[in-house]
Amino acid sequence: METILFLAHVDEDGALSKAARETLAAAAALGRQLPGATLAAGLVAQGDAQPAADSLADCGATRFLAVTGEDFASARYATDAAAAEALARASGATLVLAPHTSRWARCLPGVAQRLGGRADTHVTAAGMESGAPAVTRWYYRQRIEGVSQRSQRPWFILLDPASGEAWQGAPGHAALETVAVAIGDGLRRTLFSGWRTPRSDRQTIRPEAALLLVAGAGWTKKQADGQTHADEAQRLILGFLDLAQASLGGSKSLVDLSGEGQAVLPFMTHLNQVGQTGSTPRHPKGLATCCHGEEPHVVGWRFINQRRAINLDPNCGWARGKADVLYVADAFAVMEQLNALLA
Ligand SMILES: Cc1cc2nc3c(=O)[nH]c(=O)nc-3n(C[C@H](O)[C@H](O)[C@H](O)COP(=O)(O)OP(=O)(O)OC[C@H]3O[C@@H](n4cnc5c(N)ncnc54)[C@H](O)[C@@H]3O)c2cc1C
């Protein structure tokens, strides 16, 4: 019989992130499908974990465990691994589900190694196959989807954020058990010195947005009048982001131009790049503008449910089956109209 441990960090404000609650929903659903399985919640917090545990009181967990203390305030392999190991041991977990945050992804494969188990990262769903747990994962930059099972335990499963619905339930009282972890100076050698963010004058990446606007290099190209219109492009793109509260992606060509120091669209960084060598964001809708829709770019659109594109070229990549709707039009004119309608 499986013992499932839902593992999460408690945010600075004492709450659990959406990604954590999505993982909890997956863990609870898996527990319901596995005969005789029990569910435990394991929280790692800088401060008091009781409010977070109480918020999950109704999730079906039979045990609520917490590792707390200043040592767990920020990401550090040694202390994060020690906390996860202690919670996995204390719960006797055979299946550990955690959100695929950079913090968990860095340490959980190491914890699996310590416990003689296995880890799978970037999992998009956990379910059942032939009466046993199975996970779904994408391979080769989201081109192939595979389902796999493992006999080794404990099995650490890191679920990609935005892969499923977040758990919701009424708060109550959770009987929280504190798990002690001995943290010596040997585990504190790495020090957190602060945040460093890419040079950008505004936040353009919004993972929770309903729409992803993708800008391509066309915004920087000479237009019908023989001139480039970088200022106008900037006004239209930023205006749309503000009005629609959309997230911003970019094609590789465009972000490379910005990276090379050309003053094209200064708010565009490599973090915005979508595609084979960029990111695969998840949004219900996507709109590509002035971007050709080449295959290495479009693999980044795997998890965009509805794809639309605006391109002057009726033979662009989008026209060849890569977009649900292609507007053969001047993106400068369309976005101007769109912003006017939204305003
Ligand atoms: C190994 C490898 C990995 C790669 N990985 C990635 C990746 O991760 N992400 C990525 O994006 N690319 C990637 N690429 C590059 C990719 O193949 C393309 O070169 C790149 O995506 C092209 O960017 P673009 O469409 O913005 O620019 P372009 O190909 O220059 O296209 C610009 C488009 O803008 C249109 N346009 C111009 N003006 C207007 C207007 N006024 N209105 C409407 N349309 C207009 C033009 O018709 C044209 O189609 C990769 C390539 C390789 C070889």
Side-chain angles (χ1 to χ4, degrees):
M1 274 190 296
E2 305 277 9
T3 300
I4 303 172
L5 174 66
F6 154 67
L7 195 57
H9 285 109
V10 177
D11 285 349
E12 264 177 48
D13 62 1
L16 288 168
S17 68
K18 182 164 173 281
R21 288 184 292 107
E22 288 163 10
T23 304
L24 176 58
L30 187 59
R32 287 193 295 275
Q33 294 171 63
L34 274 166
T38 53
L39 176 67
L43 303 176
V44 181
Q46 174 184 11
D48 186 10
Q50 188 68 52
D54 286 348
S55 74
L56 309 178
D58 199 26
C59 72
T62 50
R63 291 181 75 187
F64 293 86
L65 309 167
V67 169
T68 60
E70 278 303 318
D71 284 314
F72 309 103
S74 51
R76 173 170 49 195
Y77 180 90
T79 42
D80 283 343
E85 181 184 351
L87 289 166
R89 288 191 193 280
S91 62
T94 55
L95 299 170
V96 181
L97 273 77
H100 187 118
T101 58
S102 60
R103 197 169 171 184
W104 282 131
R106 198 175 305 137
C107 75
L108 289 184
V111 178
Q113 173 69 15
R114 285 182 200 178
L115 298 175
R118 295 291 187 275
D120 279 289
T121 57
H122 287 298
V123 169
T124 50
M128 297 287 285
E129 190 89 9
S130 309
V135 299
T136 303
R137 198 186 185 286
W138 291 82
Y139 295 88
Y140 187 40
R141 296 303 300 186
Q142 336 305 343
R143 286 183 172 97
I144 301 168
E145 189 181 26
V147 177
S148 48
Q149 295 180 297
R150 290 190 184 273
S151 54
Q152 296 92 351
R153 298 289 185 271
W155 185 11
F156 286 78
I157 297 166
L158 287 105
L159 272 167
D160 260 348
S163 299
E165 293 297 315
W167 183 84
Q168 285 187 325
H173 178 70
L176 192 61
E177 302 170 48
T178 303
V179 177
V181 188
I183 304 291
D185 285 345
L187 299 186
R188 295 192 182 108
R189 283 177 306 183
T190 302
L191 296 177
F192 174 75
S193 63
W195 293 101
R196 193 178 294 182
T197 51
R199 195 172 55 84
S200 171
D201 59 350
R202 58 170 68 213
Q203 174 62 313
T204 57
I205 298 174
R206 301 182 174 122
E208 307 294 335
L211 177 73
L212 173 74
L213 175 77
V214 173
W219 285 106
T220 67
K221 301 261 158 90
K222 284 183 180 166
Q223 295 299 310
D225 59 0
Q227 307 294 317
T228 59
H229 296 272
D231 290 346
E232 204 182 334
Q234 174 160 335
R235 177 181 63 76
L236 289 170
I237 293 168
L238 292 180
F240 182 79
L241 293 182
D242 282 345
L243 289 164
Q245 284 300 296
S247 191
L248 179 66
S251 70
K252 180 161 167 51
S253 296
L254 184 57
V255 303
D256 280 354
L257 284 173
S258 303
E260 284 158 12
Q262 296 185 37
V264 270
L265 298 175
F267 48 90
M268 194 63 100
T269 77
H270 278 94
L271 289 179
N272 294 97
Q273 188 195 314
V274 168
Q276 178 172 354
T277 44
S279 64
T280 42
R282 288 177 162 80
H283 298 275
K285 293 182 181 183
L287 176 64
T289 53
C290 295
C291 159
H292 198 76
E294 286 204 36
E295 173 64 11
H297 173 77
V298 176
V299 294
W301 286 66
R302 169 63 71 189
F303 302 117
I304 306 296
N305 298 342
Q306 192 194 98
R307 307 157 181 208
R308 296 187 180 212
I310 309 170
N311 201 307
L312 283 170
D313 178 2
N315 282 317
C316 67
W318 302 111
R320 292 179 224 135
K322 289 176 177 159
D324 300 303
V325 179
L326 168 67
Y327 304 95
V328 179
D330 179 351
F332 282 84
V334 175
M335 297 308 286
E336 189 79 71
Q337 282 277 332
L338 211 46
N339 284 354
L341 288 170
L342 285 167

